[in-house]
Amino acid sequence: MFRTKRSGLVRRLWRSRLIPDKEGEDGNGKTSEEQELKAATYSLLKRLKEKALDTLLEAVESRGGMPSDCVMISRTELRLGGHVASPQLLVCKLYRWSDLQHSAQLKPLCECKSFGALDSPTVCCNPYHYSRLCGPESPPPPYSRLSPNEEHKPLDASMSTDAPKQSHWCNVAYWEHRTRVGRLYTVYEHSVSIFYDLPQGTGFCLGQLNLEHRSSTVQRTRGKIGYGILLSKELDGVWAYNRSEHPIFVNSPTLDVPNSRTLVVRKVMPGYSIKVFDYERSCLLRHTTEADLLDGPYDPNSVRISFAKGWGPCYSRQFITSCPCWLEILLNNHR
């Protein structure tokens, strides 16, 4: 019976993948690529115990909507298409992004055991414990001295769960066009979920904020927030992970081009994450920003995130106050 249940879990996980079956010419109705993928997948899944298979299946079927534990496995790489693939690359390719090519494109979420554990003999293979990194739209700035690996180092002492209670690191305001809805949401923990509807979510629930006479545009946009975003304070800055099924749009002083009037608004697709506020760059900007280039009030420690609708030079909406649903992240002293 044990073998039957375990085999059933493996089959359900295989059927739940993103990549569909392909017709081939090998006589079995499968391409060699599909056969290699199936062999690699079964090889990985057979290394997991039944409890781990249950956890993985729940994460996949809920599409990350239900809290789930890490699924740890040895870092042994698997053969796939003439190349080797890490366990986390394989599962994320199967269940999140079929076009994924390299593990370097993945970022463990801050609460995952693989976050900062670069030298660990085991790695988490829960695909919903990872985000996909937004690629740079321009070459990295010369003042950025952090290497990609340093971005994944463990959180410092102030963010440890064993550290004394710290003061809040940010306040979050929710806006609909020019109207702020609800009170400021104060964040003390190192990460916070901001969402409209999450099956078992804790954090800032925008769906509970009431306002009379909402426009149909606002109502439609609110319906697109879904699982929302995960905002996290990490060693090198503040990161936003888009958990919804629609893009989010982000602007902050550290994303803008220094000493330029051009507003930079980054589009972040579902499943992707971006460093929305860079601590090192912020400190440098304080000494290099020219006052005469500032147009109106300026907060060097704020981040603005719009759900589903973009704004700025590349969009019909020139100002974020024209966006139906958006957040203002007011960062506390981050030094």
Side-chain angles (χ1 to χ4, degrees), residues 239-310:
W239 286 79
Y241 164 46
N242 183 6
R243 301 180 67 189
S244 76
E245 296 183 353
H246 299 272
I248 60 173
F249 298 82
V250 180
N251 167 258
S252 82
T254 65
L255 290 175
D256 283 334
V257 178
N259 295 324
S260 171
R261 293 186 183 276
T262 303
L263 180 75
V264 175
V265 177
R266 292 291 304 271
K267 182 178 183 180
V268 184
M269 297 302 291
Y272 281 69
S273 66
I274 186 173
K275 190 197 302 182
V276 295
F277 194 88
D278 186 298
Y279 294 150
E280 182 184 17
R281 187 172 185 183
S282 173
C283 292
L284 290 169
L285 288 176
R286 292 180 185 182
H287 304 290
T288 60
T289 302
E290 298 179 12
D292 60 351
L293 288 173
L294 302 180
D295 185 13
Y298 175 76
D299 186 346
N301 296 312
S302 68
V303 177
R304 297 176 294 176
I305 301 175
S306 173
F307 293 103
K309 305 294 182 181

Side-chain angles (χ1 to χ4, degrees), residues 158 164-170 186-189 233 332-333:
S158 68
K165 186 72 173 181
Q166 301 293 318
S167 63
H168 72 282
W169 63 269
C170 80
T186 303
V187 182
Y188 295 93
E189 302 297 331
K233 182 180 188 289
N332 199 7
N333 190 336

